[in-house]
Amino acid sequence: MSDETTPPAPTPASLGPSRPSRRRWTLALLVTGLIVALSAGLLVLVSSAGAASRLAGWVPADTYGYAELRLEPPGDQGRQAIDFLARFPGFADRSQLDAKLTDLLDRLAADATGGRSSYSAVKPWLGDALALAVSGPPPAPGQAGASLVVAAIRDPAAARRWLDSTVGSAGTGNATHGGVELIVGTAGGQTWAAGVVDTVLLAGERGAVEAAIDNGGRGPFGSSPSFRAALASLGGDSLAVAYLEPRRVVGAALGALPAGPALDGILTNELPAWTGLAVRAHGDALEVLLTSPALESGRAATNRPSTLVSRLPATTLVAAEAHDLGLAIGDLVKRLGADPRTADAAKQLELALGTLGGLDSFTAWMGDGALVVTGQGGMLDGGLVVSVVDEAAAAARLASLRSLLSLAGGVAGIEIRDEPYGAGRITSIDLGDPRRLLGGAAPGAGRLPAGERLVFAWTLQQGVFVLGLGDPFVKQVIDTPAGMSLAESPRYRDAIERAGSANAGQIYVDLGGLIESSAALLPAAERARYEQEVRPFLEPLGALTAAGLAGDPIRVRFIVTTK
């Protein structure tokens, strides 16, 4: 393999503005947060087929997290993965693909083992699958769980020789359990062990390794109802599968916090008992499918196409849409109010909105809602777009809110302005210097651009409520002509059809457009390096789309497309 490696993406610091922009600093934070969240979500998920795994029988019965990578992908997944990789620089020559991947994995293995081993050294005896399990009581934040690695092997004797030569020097001695010789050691306050049993190599927390030896590959986890249901919900051939028990994990983490019971009631009741995941290649796209059982509580969602994309400008880079937003908010608050652990929090929210007519007076007129970021030529704008089912009720509530802000404006220094626009008017709420709101000593306050003002603007017209950071975004939405919206974008249409155009909610990220807009913000000194070292690896990316499909099980499909 050549020395080609994927360079790191530009850091947020390198994407500084090349010219002043009233809203750029605020929107940069919003966009960065959204993309980091989406990226982190995908990285956690990509960690494989509908059939039960033979490696799952080795893991402890109390496993709550399991991920399995198919080293020899079933069906046509190997070919589809090769087709996908071939779209990126360095992988176009398919005859050299295996050599290139081996060389890359050699480097990674050398780094992980301090140069003691390489992928080439394990490839001859390594089998067709590799699994990672986490078991026992979920640890408190900052602590390590009981982890176990199970690797299928072809040659037990060769695997044992590799274990002795590579891992032996890191251990503190040997031990025997169930007739199996183990290398043992300590790291990070935990005792670990590694050994070879039949056709698998086991390594990880010593208790988990010994439990695997005891069950002999016939443990109950692999045949447990929830794990089998998760695999069955995924279906089809995949590159990888994963399983997690979110309610158990999050509940344990929240239980360690002072406000654990209340937070547990708010969050864990809305989390599924289990989640399954599959990663699939489609030649020109990569899919991550997330499944979970339908929640017993709450309003049943329906799948239908978006009602808002035809109102969003074609320059939309990010659009995260939830259907029936008002009903969903009202339903959530009712469930919180019915739970003794969260009833007080729900009551306080109702009291806070009482002066404005109560929560229902706001949620009753809300239809679908979308958080949106637009961009062109390095300029980013963003805000919220909500379809309105009762425009008269919405107008009354917004008038009440405007009056309250007007009364408070004299004391708080808030300025309110109205401007006729389109078929209605735009109301701007100028909160002044954001550094004053944050406090001069607040972290990061001194780095905010001088002279910036934090301004929110809204309008209610043409069947939508639009709220933006400043009025440019509001005007973009109102000015979107029929036939020239996001709905007509070929990139959007292709991506949403793959993810599921009839859904209960969706996220669309125009990766190509976002990359171009971010590149336009680069200082001239960084542009040459970006064009040569970074852009070629990002240019093949088209869009990232996620669609949540209501049903039992619930399905959330993530699709990364290429151009």
Side-chain angles (χ1 to χ4, degrees):
M1 182 177 180
S2 67
D3 290 332
E4 293 177 335
T5 56
T6 302
T11 63
S14 70
L15 298 178
S18 57
R19 64 179 188 275
S21 170
R22 286 175 47 204
R23 303 163 307 282
R24 184 173 298 164
W25 65 270
T26 308
L27 285 161
L29 292 176
L30 293 176
V31 174
T32 300
L34 177 60
I35 299 306
V36 167
L38 290 171
S39 301
L42 287 176
L43 288 173
V44 170
L45 296 178
V46 179
S47 303
S48 284
S53 164
R54 60 188 173 84
L55 295 186
W58 289 95
V59 307
D62 57 353
T63 291
Y64 57 85
Y66 178 86
E68 182 176 319
L69 176 67
R70 295 293 175 87
L71 301 177
E72 295 179 2
D76 69 344
Q77 281 297 284
R79 179 178 60 80
Q80 296 286 358
I82 290 173
D83 290 345
F84 181 77
L85 288 173
R87 295 174 176 269
F88 294 85
F91 295 99
D93 186 351
R94 303 186 186 203
S95 65
Q96 296 297 313
L97 182 60
D98 184 67
K100 287 177 177 289
L101 289 175
T102 297
D103 187 47
L104 176 61
L105 292 172
D106 277 343
R107 299 183 190 186
L108 295 175
D111 289 341
T113 62
R116 292 191 301 270
S117 185
S118 66
Y119 173 70
S120 296
V122 303
K123 187 177 180 180
W125 56 259
L126 189 62
D128 61 354
L130 182 69
L132 170 66
V134 186
S135 60
Q143 298 179 352
S147 59
L148 172 70
V149 174
V150 185
I153 57 177
R154 305 179 193 279
D155 185 341
R160 182 69 215 193
R161 289 193 296 270
W162 175 86
L163 202 62
D164 290 335
S165 63
T166 304
V167 181
S169 60
T172 56
N174 293 343
T176 301
H177 183 85
V180 177
E181 184 181 355
L182 300 175
I183 298 172
V184 297
T186 58
Q190 279 192 334
T191 301
W192 58 265
V196 174
V197 185
D198 296 332
T199 57
V200 297
L201 183 151
L202 304 172
E205 192 269 332
R206 184 171 180 176
V209 171
E210 293 179 348
I213 295 172
D214 292 339
N215 68 42
R218 298 179 296 275
F221 171 76
S223 59
S224 64
S226 59
F227 182 67
R228 290 175 64 88
L231 290 185
S233 70
L234 298 171
D237 294 331
S238 306
L239 298 173
V241 292
Y243 169 87
L244 182 67
E245 297 178 3
R247 188 178 298 170
R248 179 179 166 192
V249 173
V250 174
L254 295 177
L257 301 176
L263 287 173
D264 180 63
I266 293 173
L267 296 178
T268 59
N269 285 359
E270 306 302 318
L271 294 175
W274 58 260
T275 295
L277 179 142
V279 182
R280 297 188 175 98
H282 294 289
D284 62 346
L286 189 68
E287 173 190 349
V288 177
L289 174 64
L290 188 67
T291 63
S292 65
L295 297 176
E296 296 179 1
S297 62
R299 178 184 54 85
T302 57
N303 297 320
R304 55 181 172 78
S306 167
T307 61
L308 290 176
V309 289
S310 62
R311 306 301 304 270
L312 304 181
T315 56
T316 295
L317 300 178
V318 180
E321 178 177 337
H323 294 176
D324 301 321
L325 181 62
L327 292 176
I329 294 173
D331 180 66
L332 174 60
V333 173
K334 287 179 182 178
R335 295 205 304 274
L336 295 178
D339 190 325
R341 296 171 297 179
T342 56
D344 287 343
K347 184 177 181 180
Q348 291 300 319
L349 177 62
E350 289 283 2
L351 290 174
L353 294 173
T355 57
L356 296 175
L359 178 65
D360 288 346
S361 68
F362 281 92
T363 59
W365 53 265
M366 292 183 179
D368 298 348
L371 288 170
V372 181
V373 176
T374 62
Q376 194 170 26
M379 293 293 294
L380 299 177
D381 290 289
L384 173 69
V385 181
V386 179
S387 62
V388 177
V389 298
D390 187 339
E391 196 157 332
R397 295 286 69 78
L398 292 173
S400 298
L401 179 60
R402 187 193 184 287
S403 297
L404 181 63
L405 291 172
S406 180
L407 289 174
V411 177
I414 299 174
E415 298 180 12
I416 302 178
R417 300 183 294 272
D418 291 314
E419 172 193 357
Y421 198 85
R425 67 179 183 181
I426 295 177
T427 299
S428 297
I429 312 297
D430 189 337
L431 300 180
D433 190 336
R435 289 173 295 187
R436 176 179 61 84
L437 299 175
L438 292 173
R447 293 193 295 272
L448 296 177
E452 292 281 359
R453 299 183 69 83
L454 184 59
V455 180
F456 290 93
W458 77 59
T459 191
L460 175 65
Q461 55 180 291
Q462 302 177 24
V464 292
F465 167 72
V466 187
L467 172 69
L469 283 168
D471 60 13
F473 173 76
V474 177
K475 292 178 178 179
Q476 287 177 45
V477 175
I478 297 303
D479 291 342
T480 298
M484 297 184 64
S485 66
L486 176 63
E488 281 72 44
S489 164
R491 184 174 295 175
Y492 166 79
R493 290 203 306 266
D494 174 62
I496 198 62
E497 285 298 326
R498 290 170 179 258
S501 58
N503 55 64
Q506 62 184 54
I507 297 174
Y508 170 73
V509 181
D510 182 348
L511 294 175
L514 194 61
I515 290 167
E516 289 300 318
S517 293
S518 300
L521 301 177
L522 284 173
E526 296 289 333
R527 185 65 57 84
R529 186 185 70 85
Y530 168 81
E531 292 291 338
Q532 181 178 0
E533 301 178 12
V534 179
R535 183 181 182 127
F537 298 94
L538 299 179
E539 198 164 19
L541 295 174
L544 165 64
T545 308
L549 309 176
D552 193 5
I554 297 170
R555 289 180 170 85
V556 181
R557 182 171 285 111
F558 295 82
I559 300 287
V560 177
T561 60
T562 55
K563 297 175 183 176

